[in-house]
Structure formats: structure tokens, C-alpha cells
């Protein structure tokens, strides 16, 4: 007759093999902690388009999508940007991405665990600018130039239009005079990198111009001190008037005021103060 083997396991499991007669008992101990041992799951790298074009002035952010880059992460994940694949120092979330053709490496962190792998992305940020004067004399006109030749990145500008509805590279504007808030002029443009799979990029640049005069006139000559007889003519026409210039006013108003300090005997000193005033009350 076949023997019966019974295994007693600390988890309460029992296996009975075939047999009818002799019985032998064996005890098998299993450590429960080894069965319930937690396993750390590292999230994968985020995903997205390998080459992307974004507008200048974009700021790195900790939340996916908010920095203008097309990136996909797990729900609730935060992202970190790096300059190299092996760098341990993440780029500050408040940094602005520089213009040009640059490559970055982005990880995602889920439940406090950062992905070991990083998403490699090539960012194209066109370097375009406006040339203009930020302040002009009241009531005058000025020009704004759109420097539309892209540098540091491939491709070109496909089209552009100003907020004034003009389509020239250089426009002339006459901002409202003496406004507290500057007058804004914006050019909207479309950039195409010429790389397959990278769509057109629509961005804008703004010029803010104040039409006002905050600069004081300046004297270019100063009268010398003179000594005269008591009965001498001391009027401004006799002793001369200083010369002053101004950035906006070609005919500065010059005035004077005298203060007499009595001296001994027939001697006295006259202090004459000259004031130059432009037509904007500077």
C-alpha cells in the first residue's frame, strides 16, 4: 500500500498525495514577508514629438504642456528639464528657454519616483526682433523695423502682418502723445522650419512706444561772474544770456531771477539764477 505524505505549511495550505495507509508528516515554513515584499515601479520617460518649434520667451514650467512644448506624461506627473542626458541638475522651472536650435532631456516624476529614462527633444526657437525707439517726442512719428531673417534655426518666415494691418517690414507710427500707458504695435508671424513633421509656428512680437518728453533742457554755456560799477547796466541784455538745448524743443524758454545780498559800503553781490524750460514743462 502507498504511504500518505502530508505537508503542513504555516500559511494554512495543505496538499494530500495518494495513498491509504502509513502516514508521514513534514512541516514546511514559508516567510510571509517574502511573499508581500513591495516592488518599486519606475515610470517610463514622457513622450512627444522629437522635434518641435516654440515661440521665443517661453518659460520652463514644472507642469506638462504649460511651457508650450507638446509632451505627454502619466496623470498627475511633474516633469524636469535637463541640458544633458546624464545631468543631475535640473533646469529651473522659472528659466526662459534661449532662442536657437537646442536639445533637452525631460523626465517625469510619478508618486515621488522619477523616471530613469528621459525624453529627448529638439526645440527650434526662432530669433526675431523689432528695432524701434521706446520713447519719442510728443506728436512725432517714428519707424519700427521687423527683423524677420531667422538665425540659429533652420527655415524662414512664411508670412506676417502688423496690428495696424500693414504687411511691410518697416512701418511708420504716430503714438498718442502724453499717454501714461505706452502705445503698443504688434507683428504676428508664421515660422516654418522646413523639417518634415514639424508644423508651422505662429508667434508675435510687440513694440511699446511712449510719446512723451521727460528730458530736461541743458545749458551749453554758463555766464561768468563779473564785477561792475554801481551805476552799470546789469540787465540780462547787457550781461548776456546763457544758451540751452533740448531734445524735443528747438526754442527753449530761458528766464532769470535775481537775489541781492547787501555788502559793506557800496559793495553788493547779485546772484542771478537762470532757468531753461522746454514746451513740455521740463
Amino acid at each position: 500500500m502507498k504511504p500518505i505524505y502530508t505537508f503542513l505549511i504555516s500559511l494554512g495550505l495543505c496538499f494530500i498525495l495518494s495513498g491509504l495507509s502509513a502516514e508521514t508528516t513534514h512541516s514546511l515554513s514559508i516567510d510571509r514577508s517574502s511573499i508581500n515584499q513591495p516592488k518599486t515601479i519606475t515610470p517610463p520617460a514622457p513622450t512627444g514629438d522629437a522635434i518641435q518649434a516654440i515661440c521665443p520667451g517661453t518659460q520652463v514650467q514644472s507642469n506638462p504642456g504649460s511651457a508650450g512644448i507638446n509632451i505627454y506624461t502619466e496623470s498627475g506627473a511633474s516633469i524636469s528639464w535637463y541640458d544633458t542626458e546624464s545631468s543631475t541638475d535640473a533646469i529651473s522651472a522659472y528659466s526662459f528657454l534661449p532662442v536657437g536650435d537646442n536639445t533637452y532631456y525631460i523626465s517625469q516624476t510619478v508618486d515621488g519616483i522619477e523616471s530613469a529614462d528621459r525624453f529627448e527633444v529638439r526645440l527650434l526657437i526662432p530669433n526675431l526682433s523689432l528695432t524701434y525707439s521706446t520713447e519719442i517726442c510728443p506728436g512725432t512719428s517714428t519707424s519700427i523695423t521687423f527683423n524677420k531673417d531667422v538665425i540659429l534655426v533652420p527655415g524662414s518666415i512664411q508670412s506676417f502682418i502688423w496690428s495696424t494691418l500693414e504687411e511691410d517690414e518697416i512701418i511708420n507710427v504716430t503714438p498718442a502723445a502724453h499717454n501714461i500707458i505706452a502705445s503698443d504695435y504688434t507683428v504676428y508671424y508664421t515660422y516654418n522650419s522646413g523639417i518634415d513633421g514639424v508644423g508651422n509656428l505662429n508667434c508675435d512680437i510687440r513694440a511699446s512706444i511712449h510719446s512723451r518728453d521727460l528730458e530736461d533742457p541743458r545749458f551749453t554755456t554758463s555766464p561768468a561772474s563779473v564785477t561792475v560799477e554801481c551805476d552799470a547796466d546789469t540787465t540780462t541784455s547787457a550781461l548776456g544770456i546763457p544758451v540751452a538745448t533740448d531734445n524735443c524743443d528747438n526754442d527753449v524758454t530761458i528766464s532769470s531771477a535775481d537775489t541781492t545780498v547787501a555788502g559793506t559800503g557800496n559793495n553788493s553781490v547779485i546772484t542771478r539764477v537762470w532757468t531753461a524750460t522746454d514746451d513740455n514743462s521740463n
Side-chain angles (χ1 to χ4, degrees):
M1 299 181 68
K2 297 180 180 180
I4 296 176
Y5 295 92
T6 301
F7 296 90
L8 300 180
I9 303 175
S10 60
L11 298 181
L13 302 177
C14 180
F15 298 90
I16 302 177
L17 302 180
S18 62
L20 299 175
S21 59
E23 181 179 294
T24 302
T25 300
H26 297 270
S27 295
L28 177 63
S29 176
I30 300 178
D31 186 359
R32 181 182 295 271
S33 63
S34 64
I35 297 178
N36 297 328
Q37 183 68 32
K39 183 178 180 181
T40 300
I41 300 178
T42 302
T47 60
D49 297 331
I51 305 176
Q52 301 184 37
I54 62 176
C55 295
T58 299
Q59 190 176 25
V60 175
Q61 300 289 339
S62 58
N63 296 322
S66 60
I69 182 175
N70 185 15
I71 183 172
Y72 304 100
T73 65
E74 294 187 15
S75 177
S78 61
I79 62 174
S80 298
W81 292 60
Y82 297 90
D83 287 317
T84 67
E85 191 171 10
S86 59
S87 175
T88 57
D89 296 324
I91 301 173
S92 170
Y94 302 101
S95 299
F96 287 90
L97 294 169
V99 297
D101 187 345
N102 300 301
T103 299
Y104 298 94
Y105 300 85
I106 305 175
S107 68
Q108 67 172 327
T109 298
V110 181
D111 295 330
I113 302 176
E114 185 176 9
S115 60
D117 297 325
R118 296 173 180 175
F119 166 52
E120 180 179 337
V121 59
R122 176 186 174 190
L123 294 184
L124 307 176
I125 306 179
N127 185 23
L128 303 175
S129 63
L130 300 177
T131 302
Y132 62 99
S133 299
T134 57
E135 287 201 11
I136 62 174
C137 294
T140 62
S141 299
T142 188
S143 63
I144 308 174
T145 301
F146 177 37
N147 307 302
K148 70 181 187 66
D149 294 332
V150 297
I151 58 176
L152 305 179
V153 294
S156 61
I157 298 302
Q158 297 296 294
S159 62
F160 67 91
I161 188 170
W162 293 88
S163 54
T164 59
L165 302 182
E166 297 171 271
E167 298 180 2
D168 299 318
E169 293 182 39
I170 302 177
I171 63 171
N172 292 313
V173 297
T174 306
H178 304 295
N179 275 2
I180 297 177
I181 300 176
S183 298
D184 291 335
Y185 302 89
T186 304
V187 60
Y188 304 91
Y189 64 87
T190 299
Y191 161 71
N192 183 284
S193 66
I195 299 176
D196 291 340
V198 180
N200 286 343
L201 176 69
N202 297 310
C203 302
D204 61 79
I205 312 177
R206 181 178 60 187
S208 296
I209 303 176
H210 259 120
S211 179
R212 61 185 181 182
D213 179 17
L214 300 179
E215 187 174 327
D216 294 337
R218 297 182 180 181
F219 284 107
T220 57
T221 64
S222 178
S225 297
V226 295
T227 300
V228 297
E229 297 297 328
C230 292
D231 58 352
D233 185 359
T234 59
T235 61
T236 56
S237 58
L239 298 182
I241 301 175
V243 177
T245 60
D246 183 68
N247 62 315
C248 291
D249 186 2
N250 293 325
D251 187 17
V252 179
T253 300
I254 299 177
S255 60
S256 65
D258 291 348
T259 300
T260 301
V261 179
T264 59
N266 293 326
N267 295 326
S268 63
V269 177
I270 297 175
T271 300
R272 179 164 293 162
V273 178
W274 299 92
T275 303
T277 306
D278 64 20
D279 55 9
N280 292 303
S281 300
N282 298 308

